[in-house]
Amino acid sequence: MDVPTASPVLLLRIESGPIHVPLWIGSSEASIIALYAEGVEAPRPLTHDLLLDVAAASGRALDHVEISRLVDDVFEASLVFDDGGRVDARASDAVALAVRAQTPILVDDAVVTAAGLEVADEQEEEVEKFREFLDQVSANDFEEPGE
C-alpha cells in the first residue's frame, strides 16, 4: 500500500537486477490479483477467467503480456497470444491475466528506464517484508468499507 494515497501498489521486479517497476492499481484489481496469486478458484468464472476461456474456445492461449509504454503516467499493455495476436489492455488487467494464466510479464526497456526504481540491498529487506505481507494477505483485506 502506498501510504500517502492508501492505494495498492504492485511491484514488478525485473529479473536481471534490483530494479522494480511500481504500478498503482485500484483496490478491486489488487483483490483479483491477490486471489489469482493465492490460487483461489471461484465457484463461477470471473471476468479474467472468462476471457481466458473464450480465447481457449477459439483455439488460442495467452503467451505473455507486455507493459510496453508509459504515457502521461499511464502504463500501456498488450496481451500477446500464441498466434502472435495482440490486444491492448490496462496494465492491471494484463498483469491479472498473466498471473492467472501463469505466463510471463515483459516490461519494455524504455518503461524500466522511465519508471524503474532501484531497490538497494538495505531496501531489499523491506521488499521481503512486503512479500511476506502479501503471503499473509487475502483479497478480503482490499475490500472497500461497506462492501
Side-chain angles (χ1 to χ4, degrees):
M1 296 294 282
D2 179 38
V3 175
T5 65
S7 297
V9 179
L10 176 66
L11 294 174
L12 298 176
R13 183 174 182 273
I14 305 304
E15 285 184 333
S16 61
I19 304 296
H20 292 73
V21 175
L23 300 175
W24 277 257
I25 59 176
S27 296
S28 60
E29 291 84 357
S31 295
I32 200 71
I33 291 169
L35 277 174
Y36 292 157
E38 293 172 8
V40 173
E41 292 292 330
R44 298 289 302 144
L46 301 174
T47 304
H48 298 94
D49 298 315
L50 177 64
L51 180 60
L52 293 172
D53 290 346
V54 168
S58 300
R60 296 290 162 250
L62 185 64
D63 185 69
H64 65 277
V65 303
E66 295 176 4
I67 311 294
S68 53
R69 294 180 52 194
L70 179 61
V71 178
D72 297 327
D73 295 327
V74 175
F75 291 92
E76 295 182 0
S78 297
L79 309 176
V80 182
F81 292 89
D82 58 354
D83 66 347
R86 302 174 72 87
V87 176
D88 288 340
R90 295 184 318 161
S92 56
D93 286 329
V95 169
L97 284 162
V99 171
R100 182 50 136 192
Q102 299 180 343
T103 61
I105 301 167
L106 307 179
V107 182
D108 189 271
D109 289 341
V111 173
V112 174
T113 299
L117 304 172
E118 185 169 348
V119 177
D121 289 339
E122 61 271 7
Q123 290 175 312
E124 189 64 36
E125 183 178 318
E126 289 298 315
V127 172
E128 186 57 36
K129 287 179 186 176
F130 183 66
R131 286 187 189 121
E132 290 173 12
F133 164 76
L134 290 177
D135 288 341
Q136 303 299 321
V137 73
S138 76
N140 293 335
D141 295 329
F142 293 104
E143 289 182 358
E144 296 289 329
E147 284 187 15

